Amino acid sequence: MRRVAVRSVVLAGLLVLAGGLPAGAHASAGAGDGPGAEADVAYHGRVSLTGARLRIWLVPENDGPAALANATVRVRLSAGLADGQELSRGCARAGLREVVCETGPLPLHGRGRHIGLALGLREPASEVVVRVDTWWNGGAADRNLANNEHVVLALDTGDAYAF
């Protein structure tokens, strides 16, 4: 089931790149609670940068009012990713600077699986802008986007920047 969800999201992402969906439209392929459901997905985590290595750790949460069978978090970078990434289970590369990961089930007032990424950059960078948002949530409405859309500036210090 997990691989199917990630493949559906990657396939939908490729349709967007190919012009199959309007720019900015989020894919809604795969299983989920469907249109009409409402959930409040949020992400909290840390980002650190050391040379050409970017580490991201995040935890998805759902404040309700409905549980979600699964969602997909998107991580976009201002720097290019190196070839041959070894990604965490449930994650897939979705572009030159983009990775998507499934959250797993998001229970009402609960957390999804912890997601850890150790990403290699194409070349060392003094700073990287990391954008985190929801790519897919099964068609559920989310009226509070402030807690699931983050922009983090990570400096090449090895320090962890929280969001």
Side-chain angles (χ1 to χ4, degrees), residues 3-91:
R3 291 179 193 222
V4 172
V6 171
R7 285 186 194 131
S8 296
V9 170
V10 172
L11 177 58
L14 292 175
L15 287 173
V16 170
L17 293 175
L21 293 173
H26 288 198
S28 59
D33 290 1
E38 185 176 340
D40 183 14
V41 177
Y43 304 107
H44 304 284
R46 299 184 305 266
V47 176
S48 67
L49 174 65
T50 305
R53 181 59 97 195
L54 182 69
R55 297 186 188 282
I56 303 168
W57 177 83
L58 64 90
V59 179
E61 297 179 1
N62 177 16
D63 290 327
L68 290 176
N70 202 353
T72 306
V73 61
R74 173 173 58 175
V75 177
R76 294 177 289 162
L77 310 175
S78 63
L81 290 166
D83 295 332
Q85 298 287 327
E86 286 192 37
L87 299 173
S88 300
R89 176 184 55 86
C91 296

Side-chain angles (χ1 to χ4, degrees), residues 49-53 78-79 121-128 154-157:
L49 174 65
T50 305
R53 181 59 97 195
S78 63
L121 302 178
R122 187 164 298 283
E123 56 189 47
S126 61
E127 64 183 37
V128 173
L155 303 177
D156 180 17
T157 61

Side-chain angles (χ1 to χ4, degrees), residues 80-147:
L81 290 166
D83 295 332
Q85 298 287 327
E86 286 192 37
L87 299 173
S88 300
R89 176 184 55 86
C91 296
R93 191 166 173 171
L96 298 174
R97 299 175 176 199
E98 194 169 330
V99 173
V100 294
C101 298
E102 67 172 347
T103 63
L106 292 173
L108 177 62
H109 302 296
R111 294 180 171 179
R113 68 183 188 90
H114 294 210
I115 299 169
L117 297 169
L119 302 173
L121 302 178
R122 187 164 298 283
E123 56 189 47
S126 61
E127 64 183 37
V128 173
V129 176
V130 179
R131 296 177 187 278
V132 176
D133 63 5
T134 300
W135 174 253
W136 174 82
N137 68 3
D142 188 338
R143 297 175 198 258
N144 182 10
L145 298 179
N147 60 4

